[in-house]
């Protein structure tokens, strides 16, 4: 079974802090994704990575950056957290273009 | 603009009922449609559909796709309290790496 692990289930941060959300997958998948999930808006893609050090912006990249230094790890960085970044963040990976996404358990981030 | 719409937004049923969840889409250059179940954690994969008219089945859950009318349904028969969850529909186009998600249907099954 594919395992996608997000380092924190819940995080509370202050406005202006730099925040790191970590995601690790154990199936040697090349593709990894970061989504945020908000009520009434569904899942929206923040960033996608198709290989080590390779990334593409999704629909809502503003205020976020990502890092993929190793194949198994994909990090989402909030350079200066703001209250409108309070959300559920979901990491996902997939084996190839024809495969479904496999999600981590999510990180619920609250920015105060 | 590509979009995926799920209905109903929420549903409350009694154990043993049968439910039908709907997903309609407007996505350029369709590749596949996926269903996920989300309890209070990771969405878990249920089905991936690529061809019209072919039913996918897993236990009490089944799903079918209509590429002409641009929709899919997810059926759950003999519902149980463990079926309570948000069910997400996503569509994958042929180009790019995007998955377009609906906002989900929240299903509550009462004992």
């Amino acid at each position: 079974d594919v395992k996608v692990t997000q380092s924190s289930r819940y995080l509370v941060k202050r406005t202006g802090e730099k925040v790191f959300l970590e995601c690790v997958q154990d199936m040697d998948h090349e593709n990894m994704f970061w989504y945020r999930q908000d009520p009434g808006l569904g899942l929206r893609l923040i960033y996608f990575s198709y290989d080590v050090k390779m990334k593409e912006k999704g629909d809502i990249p503003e205020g976020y950056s990502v890092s993929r230094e190793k194949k198994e790890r994909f990090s989402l960085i909030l350079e200066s957290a703001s209250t409108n970044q309070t959300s559920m963040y979901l990491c996902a990976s997939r084996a190839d273009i024809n495969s479904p996404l496999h999600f981590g358990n999510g990180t619920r981030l609250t920015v105060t | 603009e590509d979009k995926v719409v799920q209905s109903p937004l929420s549903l409350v049923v009694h154990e043993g009922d049968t439910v039908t969840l709907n997903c309609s889409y407007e996505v350029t250059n369709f590749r596949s449609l996926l269903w996920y179940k989300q309890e209070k954690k990771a969405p878990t994969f249920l089905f991936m559909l690529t061809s019209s008219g072919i039913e996918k089945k897993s236990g009490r859950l089944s799903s079918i796709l209509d590429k002409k009318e641009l929709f899919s349904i997810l059926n759950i028969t003999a519902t149980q309290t463990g079926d309570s969850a948000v069910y997400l529909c996503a569509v994958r186009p042929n180009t790019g790496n995007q998955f377009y998600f609906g906002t989900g249907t929240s299903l509550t099954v009462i004992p």
Side-chain angles (χ1 to χ4, degrees):
Chain A
D1 255 3
V2 177
K3 193 162 176 66
V4 180
T5 303
Q6 294 184 231
S7 54
S8 305
R9 287 299 312 274
Y10 300 94
L11 272 181
V12 180
K13 296 291 181 180
R14 291 189 183 275
T15 301
E17 278 193 80
K18 191 169 186 175
V19 182
F20 293 86
L21 303 184
E22 306 286 347
C23 175
V24 177
Q25 49 95 2
D26 67 354
M27 285 301 291
D28 203 35
H29 288 174
E30 290 192 352
N31 299 168
M32 296 186 76
F33 301 74
W34 274 107
Y35 285 89
R36 65 177 280 177
Q37 185 176 29
D38 300 288
L41 296 176
L43 274 75
R44 293 179 292 165
L45 181 65
I46 306 171
Y47 267 98
F48 161 68
S49 171
Y50 51 93
D51 204 345
V52 174
K53 297 190 189 294
M54 308 305 285
K55 63 187 179 186
E56 280 182 12
K57 292 180 180 178
D59 294 325
I60 50 164
E62 298 78 19
Y64 304 95
S65 62
V66 290
S67 172
R68 184 121 181 250
E69 297 297 319
K70 293 185 178 181
K71 195 173 187 179
E72 68 270 19
R73 186 179 296 269
F74 191 33
S75 303
L76 180 69
I77 303 151
L78 287 66
E79 297 290 340
S80 177
S82 64
T83 54
N84 63 12
Q85 293 179 309
T86 291
S87 187
M88 169 69 89
Y89 290 88
L90 289 166
C91 175
S93 72
R94 73 172 178 196
D96 54 54
I97 198 168
N98 293 314
S99 299
L101 295 176
H102 297 274
F103 286 91
N105 279 340
T107 296
R108 186 165 294 282
L109 172 68
T110 302
V111 182
T112 61
Chain B
E1 182 185 317
D2 294 326
K3 65 179 180 181
V4 177
V5 178
Q6 292 186 245
S7 63
L9 287 181
S10 65
L11 197 52
V12 180
V13 301
H14 287 96
E15 266 191 322
D17 287 351
T18 293
V19 298
T20 299
L21 310 183
N22 301 288
C23 175
S24 64
Y25 62 91
E26 293 176 24
V27 174
T28 305
N29 209 7
F30 173 91
R31 184 185 190 96
S32 59
L33 184 145
L34 298 90
W35 285 98
Y36 287 85
K37 176 183 181 183
Q38 185 178 23
E39 296 168 272
K40 293 194 185 301
K41 46 183 177 154
T44 52
F45 172 69
L46 296 174
F47 299 113
M48 182 161 66
L49 303 144
T50 55
S51 301
S52 279
I54 298 174
E55 186 184 51
K56 293 267 180 122
K57 198 169 170 65
S58 176
R60 296 176 294 100
L61 277 66
S62 63
S63 183
I64 198 158
L65 174 68
D66 185 329
K67 287 167 74 172
K68 184 179 175 187
E69 299 298 329
L70 307 184
F71 77 93
S72 173
I73 59 172
L74 176 67
N75 277 322
I76 308 175
T77 59
T79 50
Q80 302 171 357
T81 54
D83 296 325
S84 295
V86 173
Y87 290 84
L88 299 170
C89 172
V91 173
R92 168 100 167 83
N94 251 328
T95 54
N97 294 292
Q98 181 65 281
F99 288 76
Y100 295 100
F101 282 84
T103 54
T105 293
S106 176
L107 173 65
T108 303
V109 182
I110 300 170

